[in-house]
Amino acid sequence: MLRICLIFVLMLPLAAAASEEISGPVRVVDADTWDVGGVRVRLHGIDAPEMDQTCQSREGADWSCGVWATDKVRRAYEGRTARCRPLDRDRYGRTVARCEVAGEDVGRTLVEKGLAFAFRKYSGDYVSQERVAMAEKSGLHSGTVQAPWLFRAAGGAAKAPSDCRIKGNISAEGERIYHVPGQRHYARTQINPKKGERWFCSAAEAREAGWRAARR
């Protein structure tokens, strides 16, 4: 009995540390993943589009909804102070936490504004807010969007072949433009082979195929 009590006492500081509040300035990694005071946090109860995910507007045009959601969240919260209550740890080692900024439940706000979905697999906390956002066609719900968990299950967007990272994209005007990693629009540029878009292994290969370099 004494040994069991001793083990329990030794475990108490670990349990307390796991539940300690995290606070500090926000750095937005993507819409549902932040660094808070240097700790990587996955926001509890929500799921936002992946950075390489595209959606369709109500007019049927493709748009980079993952980049859009992240930009919106970054403008609203980057550099502000968040207070987060850890709830769990996910398989990537991130702290799953409920976070507040200026007393506002961030998960609730993002779902209300249509910047994220209620992640029903793990929580029912924001289901009512999602229903309102869908009824009002707020944010992502203004067009056609695939739930992020379904997008990931389907394998996400087209992936680059090994060592061939240059994106050959066809603009709305039909111009063939290649984007090199590090350029301004590289991350948000999507490749759709069905439209004739492709990956290149070098800039020289792209130019020889008739594609021009992106200007920035």
Side-chain angles (χ1 to χ4, degrees):
M1 176 63 74
L2 181 61
R3 182 178 180 183
I4 293 173
C5 291
L6 179 60
I7 292 172
F8 178 74
V9 170
L10 291 174
M11 288 178 66
L12 280 176
L14 297 177
S19 61
E20 284 180 0
E21 181 182 274
I22 300 166
S23 64
V26 171
R27 186 180 75 82
V28 175
V29 179
D30 58 34
D32 57 26
T33 305
W34 296 2
D35 282 342
V36 178
V39 177
R40 183 60 55 90
V41 171
R42 177 65 165 82
L43 297 176
H44 163 74
I46 71 170
D47 199 9
E50 300 296 319
M51 287 290 282
D52 60 348
Q53 187 171 346
T54 58
C55 304
Q56 282 191 324
S57 68
R58 67 183 65 183
E59 293 80 19
D62 289 340
W63 61 295
S64 300
C65 54
V67 173
W68 173 83
T70 297
D71 285 346
K72 285 282 191 181
V73 173
R74 185 168 287 131
R75 290 176 188 176
Y77 296 105
E78 186 83 13
R80 298 179 67 183
T81 298
R83 298 177 59 184
C84 302
R85 180 165 60 88
L87 301 173
D88 200 356
R89 189 173 294 274
D90 71 9
R91 60 177 176 162
Y92 303 108
R94 299 174 297 188
T95 298
V96 179
R98 187 189 303 275
C99 295
E100 293 185 354
V101 173
E104 158 198 304
D105 182 336
V106 172
R108 178 188 181 103
T109 299
L110 296 188
V111 174
E112 283 179 342
K113 292 185 175 181
L115 298 174
F117 294 83
F119 208 172
R120 302 178 190 219
K121 179 179 178 180
Y122 298 103
S123 172
D125 287 355
Y126 307 119
V127 172
S128 60
Q129 286 78 19
E130 182 180 74
R131 287 174 180 152
V132 172
M134 293 175 69
E136 296 180 350
K137 300 188 183 303
S138 299
L140 296 164
H141 306 292
S142 63
T144 303
V145 55
Q146 185 179 34
W149 53 89
L150 296 178
F151 176 79
R152 292 191 295 270
K159 302 298 181 183
S162 177
D163 298 324
C164 298
R165 307 294 298 175
I166 296 175
K167 296 179 177 182
N169 175 257
I170 301 176
S171 72
E173 294 75 27
E175 190 174 10
R176 296 171 181 265
I177 303 170
Y178 69 84
H179 300 258
V180 176
Q183 287 188 299
R184 181 173 178 179
H185 299 298
Y186 180 85
R188 69 180 66 189
T189 298
Q190 306 298 316
I191 298 301
N192 185 348
K194 293 180 180 179
K195 292 169 55 179
E197 296 173 335
R198 53 176 292 193
W199 300 92
F200 293 102
C201 300
S202 69
E205 179 188 4
R207 289 193 296 270
E208 288 173 6
W211 303 64
R212 74 157 177 84
R215 294 188 176 91
R216 54 183 177 176

